[in-house]
Amino acid sequence: MPLFMSFFVLAAGIGGWLFYTRTLEANLPKSPTLAPPIYVALDPPFVVNFETEALVRFLQITVQVMTRDPATADLVRHNDPVVRNDLLLLFGNQRYEQIATREGKERLREEALAAVRRVVEAAGGRPELIEAVYFTSFVMQ
């Protein structure tokens, strides 16, 4: 009989432990599943010129906007002229020395993200759904 009792206590302990861990797993908050990213290419590439030390320099940037919301992607596409206008003004107002560094390029990318978000907000969208702006080509000469 003592062997049977030991087996019973062991089985009850394992069953209790399994029940407890399943209950804990069920009560854990579920991590949200992210939708796949949607990239909106702003074609053709942006080409601007700026002066530095009495020389005319050119900057060509290919830009893509990333969101996970199809309605926001459509909003960016439908407002392409406004987005392009604001980005052209931003890119054309840069100094060569500032954007020649990695830090300068990152700062410019953050400013471009803010500009696209402003356009989305003005169009009635949710600017926080624009997650990133990427430069897929960046040529200075």
Side-chain angles (χ1 to χ4, degrees), residues 2-3 6 15-16 29 36 38 51 57 59 66 79 99 102 116:
L3 183 60
S6 298
I38 301 169
E51 289 186 38
R57 300 238 182 211
L59 172 65
M66 196 273 276
N79 288 279
I99 60 173
R102 178 179 175 86
V116 173

Side-chain angles (χ1 to χ4, degrees), residues 5-82:
M5 281 298 258
S6 298
F7 177 72
F8 179 74
V9 170
L10 180 64
I14 291 173
W17 179 76
L18 288 173
F19 177 77
Y20 177 72
T21 57
R22 300 265 188 218
T23 305
L24 280 179
E25 288 175 3
N27 291 332
L28 288 176
K30 303 288 187 224
S31 61
T33 304
L34 291 175
I38 301 169
Y39 296 97
V40 179
L42 301 179
D43 289 324
F46 294 86
V47 179
V48 295
N49 59 0
F50 49 95
E51 289 186 38
T52 178
E53 301 172 13
L55 297 173
V56 176
R57 300 238 182 211
F58 293 93
L59 172 65
Q60 178 180 329
I61 305 176
T62 304
V63 178
Q64 293 207 10
V65 176
M66 196 273 276
T67 183
R68 295 178 192 277
D69 180 53
T72 302
D74 288 341
L75 192 63
V76 171
R77 286 185 198 99
H78 286 90
N79 288 279
D80 182 71
V82 180

Side-chain angles (χ1 to χ4, degrees), residues 86-120:
D86 290 2
L87 291 179
L88 275 170
L89 294 175
L90 173 66
F91 297 153
N93 199 26
Q94 300 303 306
R95 299 189 64 220
Y96 180 82
E97 299 80 22
Q98 292 174 336
I99 60 173
T101 66
R102 178 179 175 86
E103 294 80 18
K105 290 176 182 73
E106 284 296 327
R107 180 192 51 77
L108 182 59
R109 196 174 64 82
E110 290 171 10
E111 290 176 5
L113 174 61
V116 173
R117 284 180 171 168
R118 281 191 299 273
V119 172
V120 167

